[in-house]
Amino acid sequence: MLEIPLEAYQNQSFMVTLNEQDCSIALYQRNSRLYLDLSMDGSVVRQGAVCLPQAGILGNVRGFAGELFMVDLRTQPEKQQPPQWEGLGTRWKLFYFSPEEVLGLRQNAAREALNG
């Protein structure tokens, strides 16, 4: 897991290397929702992905290894709030999980579901 540093700006874009993938990320607020665009090596991977807390932002996209997650640090997991630009980098943090970490999360979720 890797934290991707954010600034409290309504619209921001930056370059970051994730698991040897050269990525460009744009975050922008439209009305009450925060959106993410991801490009890799100049090619669009995902545009207009809604950022929701504790949910994979990208989903199953081709050509990108891993997943991005937004987490609300001020509330309990069951009371997470959708991110707002004013709290980026402090209240809401963006994390990258490698493919192996994503698989581990899915396996843990499946175990929890089976154990009730």
Side-chain angles (χ1 to χ4, degrees), residues 12-30:
Q12 59 186 290
S13 60
F14 51 89
M15 303 289 292
V16 63
T17 301
L18 303 171
N19 199 22
E20 299 182 17
Q21 302 169 108
D22 292 327
C23 302
S24 174
I25 295 176
L27 289 167
Y28 49 97
Q29 185 94 32
R30 298 288 184 266

PDB file of all heavy atoms in Angstrom, residues 12-30:
ATOM      1  N   GLN A  12      -6.766  19.267  -9.433  1.00  0.00           N
ATOM      2  CA  GLN A  12      -5.325  19.044  -9.378  1.00  0.00           C
ATOM      3  C   GLN A  12      -4.959  17.880 -10.292  1.00  0.00           C
ATOM      4  O   GLN A  12      -5.768  16.978 -10.530  1.00  0.00           O
ATOM      5  CB  GLN A  12      -4.851  18.774  -7.958  1.00  0.00           C
ATOM      6  CG  GLN A  12      -5.481  17.570  -7.278  1.00  0.00           C
ATOM      7  CD  GLN A  12      -5.047  17.470  -5.828  1.00  0.00           C
ATOM      8  OE1 GLN A  12      -3.890  17.160  -5.551  1.00  0.00           O
ATOM      9  NE2 GLN A  12      -5.965  17.753  -4.920  1.00  0.00           N
ATOM     10  N   SER A  13      -3.756  17.930 -10.803  1.00  0.00           N
ATOM     11  CA  SER A  13      -3.238  16.812 -11.586  1.00  0.00           C
ATOM     12  C   SER A  13      -1.755  16.682 -11.278  1.00  0.00           C
ATOM     13  O   SER A  13      -1.082  17.659 -10.949  1.00  0.00           O
ATOM     14  CB  SER A  13      -3.481  17.013 -13.081  1.00  0.00           C
ATOM     15  OG  SER A  13      -2.858  18.185 -13.527  1.00  0.00           O
ATOM     16  N   PHE A  14      -1.286  15.455 -11.367  1.00  0.00           N
ATOM     17  CA  PHE A  14       0.099  15.182 -11.013  1.00  0.00           C
ATOM     18  C   PHE A  14       0.538  13.868 -11.649  1.00  0.00           C
ATOM     19  O   PHE A  14      -0.290  13.060 -12.075  1.00  0.00           O
ATOM     20  CB  PHE A  14       0.281  15.135  -9.488  1.00  0.00           C
ATOM     21  CG  PHE A  14      -0.700  14.240  -8.789  1.00  0.00           C
ATOM     22  CD1 PHE A  14      -0.434  12.904  -8.591  1.00  0.00           C
ATOM     23  CD2 PHE A  14      -1.911  14.751  -8.335  1.00  0.00           C
ATOM     24  CE1 PHE A  14      -1.348  12.080  -7.959  1.00  0.00           C
ATOM     25  CE2 PHE A  14      -2.833  13.937  -7.692  1.00  0.00           C
ATOM     26  CZ  PHE A  14      -2.544  12.596  -7.505  1.00  0.00           C
ATOM     27  N   MET A  15       1.840  13.682 -11.685  1.00  0.00           N
ATOM     28  CA  MET A  15       2.453  12.454 -12.197  1.00  0.00           C
ATOM     29  C   MET A  15       2.925  11.636 -10.999  1.00  0.00           C
ATOM     30  O   MET A  15       3.401  12.194 -10.016  1.00  0.00           O
ATOM     31  CB  MET A  15       3.649  12.778 -13.094  1.00  0.00           C
ATOM     32  CG  MET A  15       3.333  13.670 -14.277  1.00  0.00           C
ATOM     33  SD  MET A  15       2.368  12.874 -15.537  1.00  0.00           S
ATOM     34  CE  MET A  15       3.530  11.690 -16.163  1.00  0.00           C
ATOM     35  N   VAL A  16       2.797  10.315 -11.119  1.00  0.00           N
ATOM     36  CA  VAL A  16       3.250   9.423 -10.061  1.00  0.00           C
ATOM     37  C   VAL A  16       3.578   8.070 -10.686  1.00  0.00           C
ATOM     38  O   VAL A  16       2.938   7.658 -11.659  1.00  0.00           O
ATOM     39  CB  VAL A  16       2.184   9.289  -8.950  1.00  0.00           C
ATOM     40  CG1 VAL A  16       0.899   8.671  -9.467  1.00  0.00           C
ATOM     41  CG2 VAL A  16       2.700   8.521  -7.754  1.00  0.00           C
ATOM     42  N   THR A  17       4.584   7.398 -10.152  1.00  0.00           N
ATOM     43  CA  THR A  17       4.915   6.053 -10.603  1.00  0.00           C
ATOM     44  C   THR A  17       4.341   5.066  -9.598  1.00  0.00           C
ATOM     45  O   THR A  17       4.632   5.138  -8.402  1.00  0.00           O
ATOM     46  CB  THR A  17       6.440   5.864 -10.733  1.00  0.00           C
ATOM     47  OG1 THR A  17       6.929   6.823 -11.673  1.00  0.00           O
ATOM     48  CG2 THR A  17       6.791   4.470 -11.203  1.00  0.00           C
ATOM     49  N   LEU A  18       3.497   4.160 -10.092  1.00  0.00           N
ATOM     50  CA  LEU A  18       2.840   3.163  -9.254  1.00  0.00           C
ATOM     51  C   LEU A  18       3.167   1.782  -9.804  1.00  0.00           C
ATOM     52  O   LEU A  18       2.760   1.452 -10.917  1.00  0.00           O
ATOM     53  CB  LEU A  18       1.324   3.386  -9.252  1.00  0.00           C
ATOM     54  CG  LEU A  18       0.854   4.769  -8.797  1.00  0.00           C
ATOM     55  CD1 LEU A  18      -0.632   4.936  -9.057  1.00  0.00           C
ATOM     56  CD2 LEU A  18       1.182   4.979  -7.329  1.00  0.00           C
ATOM     57  N   ASN A  19       3.927   1.007  -9.048  1.00  0.00           N
ATOM     58  CA  ASN A  19       4.279  -0.351  -9.453  1.00  0.00           C
ATOM     59  C   ASN A  19       4.937  -0.339 -10.837  1.00  0.00           C
ATOM     60  O   ASN A  19       4.574  -1.110 -11.730  1.00  0.00           O
ATOM     61  CB  ASN A  19       3.035  -1.244  -9.444  1.00  0.00           C
ATOM     62  CG  ASN A  19       3.368  -2.713  -9.389  1.00  0.00           C
ATOM     63  OD1 ASN A  19       4.458  -3.087  -8.965  1.00  0.00           O
ATOM     64  ND2 ASN A  19       2.446  -3.541  -9.816  1.00  0.00           N
ATOM     65  N   GLU A  20       5.885   0.580 -11.020  1.00  0.00           N
ATOM     66  CA  GLU A  20       6.627   0.759 -12.267  1.00  0.00           C
ATOM     67  C   GLU A  20       5.753   1.209 -13.446  1.00  0.00           C
ATOM     68  O   GLU A  20       6.107   1.036 -14.609  1.00  0.00           O
ATOM     69  CB  GLU A  20       7.398  -0.513 -12.627  1.00  0.00           C
ATOM     70  CG  GLU A  20       8.419  -0.886 -11.573  1.00  0.00           C
ATOM     71  CD  GLU A  20       9.221  -2.118 -11.922  1.00  0.00           C
ATOM     72  OE1 GLU A  20       9.245  -2.532 -13.100  1.00  0.00           O
ATOM     73  OE2 GLU A  20       9.843  -2.666 -11.000  1.00  0.00           O
ATOM     74  N   GLN A  21       4.599   1.798 -13.145  1.00  0.00           N
ATOM     75  CA  GLN A  21       3.693   2.337 -14.159  1.00  0.00           C
ATOM     76  C   GLN A  21       3.727   3.858 -14.051  1.00  0.00           C
ATOM     77  O   GLN A  21       3.423   4.404 -12.980  1.00  0.00           O
ATOM     78  CB  GLN A  21       2.266   1.834 -13.929  1.00  0.00           C
ATOM     79  CG  GLN A  21       2.146   0.324 -13.938  1.00  0.00           C
ATOM     80  CD  GLN A  21       0.788  -0.131 -13.437  1.00  0.00           C
ATOM     81  OE1 GLN A  21      -0.018  -0.586 -14.219  1.00  0.00           O
ATOM     82  NE2 GLN A  21       0.533   0.014 -12.141  1.00  0.00           N
ATOM     83  N   ASP A  22       4.086   4.549 -15.117  1.00  0.00           N
ATOM     84  CA  ASP A  22       4.125   6.009 -15.120  1.00  0.00           C
ATOM     85  C   ASP A  22       2.708   6.524 -15.350  1.00  0.00           C
ATOM     86  O   ASP A  22       2.141   6.350 -16.427  1.00  0.00           O
ATOM     87  CB  ASP A  22       5.071   6.529 -16.202  1.00  0.00           C
ATOM     88  CG  ASP A  22       6.522   6.189 -15.883  1.00  0.00           C
ATOM     89  OD1 ASP A  22       6.877   6.150 -14.688  1.00  0.00           O
ATOM     90  OD2 ASP A  22       7.297   5.949 -16.830  1.00  0.00           O
ATOM     91  N   CYS A  23       2.157   7.143 -14.314  1.00  0.00           N
ATOM     92  CA  CYS A  23       0.746   7.532 -14.325  1.00  0.00           C
ATOM     93  C   CYS A  23       0.566   9.032 -14.190  1.00  0.00           C
ATOM     94  O   CYS A  23       1.353   9.714 -13.542  1.00  0.00           O
ATOM     95  CB  CYS A  23       0.016   6.862 -13.163  1.00  0.00           C
ATOM     96  SG  CYS A  23       0.113   5.070 -13.181  1.00  0.00           S
ATOM     97  N   SER A  24      -0.502   9.513 -14.796  1.00  0.00           N
ATOM     98  CA  SER A  24      -0.964  10.879 -14.618  1.00  0.00           C
ATOM     99  C   SER A  24      -2.354  10.791 -13.997  1.00  0.00           C
ATOM    100  O   SER A  24      -3.237  10.108 -14.530  1.00  0.00           O
ATOM    101  CB  SER A  24      -1.021  11.591 -15.966  1.00  0.00           C
ATOM    102  OG  SER A  24      -1.604  12.860 -15.815  1.00  0.00           O
ATOM    103  N   ILE A  25      -2.534  11.460 -12.867  1.00  0.00           N
ATOM    104  CA  ILE A  25      -3.812  11.446 -12.158  1.00  0.00           C
ATOM    105  C   ILE A  25      -4.354  12.864 -12.092  1.00  0.00           C
ATOM    106  O   ILE A  25      -3.624  13.801 -11.776  1.00  0.00           O
ATOM    107  CB  ILE A  25      -3.655  10.874 -10.738  1.00  0.00           C
ATOM    108  CG1 ILE A  25      -3.240   9.399 -10.811  1.00  0.00           C
ATOM    109  CG2 ILE A  25      -4.943  11.040  -9.930  1.00  0.00           C
ATOM    110  CD1 ILE A  25      -2.964   8.755  -9.474  1.00  0.00           C
ATOM    111  N   ALA A  26      -5.628  13.000 -12.394  1.00  0.00           N
ATOM    112  CA  ALA A  26      -6.327  14.282 -12.234  1.00  0.00           C
ATOM    113  C   ALA A  26      -7.490  14.046 -11.281  1.00  0.00           C
ATOM    114  O   ALA A  26      -8.239  13.075 -11.427  1.00  0.00           O
ATOM    115  CB  ALA A  26      -6.836  14.796 -13.571  1.00  0.00           C
ATOM    116  N   LEU A  27      -7.623  14.919 -10.292  1.00  0.00           N
ATOM    117  CA  LEU A  27      -8.752  14.903  -9.365  1.00  0.00           C
ATOM    118  C   LEU A  27      -9.489  16.220  -9.513  1.00  0.00           C
ATOM    119  O   LEU A  27      -8.863  17.280  -9.580  1.00  0.00           O
ATOM    120  CB  LEU A  27      -8.271  14.761  -7.912  1.00  0.00           C
ATOM    121  CG  LEU A  27      -7.717  13.412  -7.505  1.00  0.00           C
ATOM    122  CD1 LEU A  27      -7.006  13.519  -6.167  1.00  0.00           C
ATOM    123  CD2 LEU A  27      -8.828  12.384  -7.432  1.00  0.00           C
ATOM    124  N   TYR A  28     -10.814  16.155  -9.560  1.00  0.00           N
ATOM    125  CA  TYR A  28     -11.589  17.380  -9.716  1.00  0.00           C
ATOM    126  C   TYR A  28     -12.964  17.217  -9.086  1.00  0.00           C
ATOM    127  O   TYR A  28     -13.565  16.161  -9.124  1.00  0.00           O
ATOM    128  CB  TYR A  28     -11.699  17.774 -11.195  1.00  0.00           C
ATOM    129  CG  TYR A  28     -12.124  16.661 -12.112  1.00  0.00           C
ATOM    130  CD1 TYR A  28     -13.459  16.512 -12.492  1.00  0.00           C
ATOM    131  CD2 TYR A  28     -11.196  15.750 -12.605  1.00  0.00           C
ATOM    132  CE1 TYR A  28     -13.848  15.486 -13.342  1.00  0.00           C
ATOM    133  CE2 TYR A  28     -11.575  14.727 -13.453  1.00  0.00           C
ATOM    134  CZ  TYR A  28     -12.899  14.596 -13.813  1.00  0.00           C
ATOM    135  OH  TYR A  28     -13.278  13.570 -14.640  1.00  0.00           O
ATOM    136  N   GLN A  29     -13.421  18.312  -8.489  1.00  0.00           N
ATOM    137  CA  GLN A  29     -14.723  18.351  -7.829  1.00  0.00           C
ATOM    138  C   GLN A  29     -15.751  18.936  -8.786  1.00  0.00           C
ATOM    139  O   GLN A  29     -15.522  19.968  -9.408  1.00  0.00           O
ATOM    140  CB  GLN A  29     -14.640  19.229  -6.573  1.00  0.00           C
ATOM    141  CG  GLN A  29     -15.893  19.262  -5.744  1.00  0.00           C
ATOM    142  CD  GLN A  29     -15.880  18.239  -4.631  1.00  0.00           C
ATOM    143  OE1 GLN A  29     -14.841  17.927  -4.104  1.00  0.00           O
ATOM    144  NE2 GLN A  29     -17.042  17.727  -4.292  1.00  0.00           N
ATOM    145  N   ARG A  30     -16.877  18.245  -8.933  1.00  0.00           N
ATOM    146  CA  ARG A  30     -18.024  18.735  -9.702  1.00  0.00           C
ATOM    147  C   ARG A  30     -19.242  18.570  -8.808  1.00  0.00           C
ATOM    148  O   ARG A  30     -19.585  17.444  -8.441  1.00  0.00           O
ATOM    149  CB  ARG A  30     -18.233  17.947 -11.003  1.00  0.00           C
ATOM    150  CG  ARG A  30     -17.072  18.040 -11.973  1.00  0.00           C
ATOM    151  CD  ARG A  30     -16.981  19.430 -12.622  1.00  0.00           C
ATOM    152  NE  ARG A  30     -15.927  19.493 -13.605  1.00  0.00           N
ATOM    153  CZ  ARG A  30     -14.694  19.911 -13.369  1.00  0.00           C
ATOM    154  NH1 ARG A  30     -14.337  20.311 -12.174  1.00  0.00           N
ATOM    155  NH2 ARG A  30     -13.798  19.940 -14.328  1.00  0.00           N
TER     156      ARG A  30
END
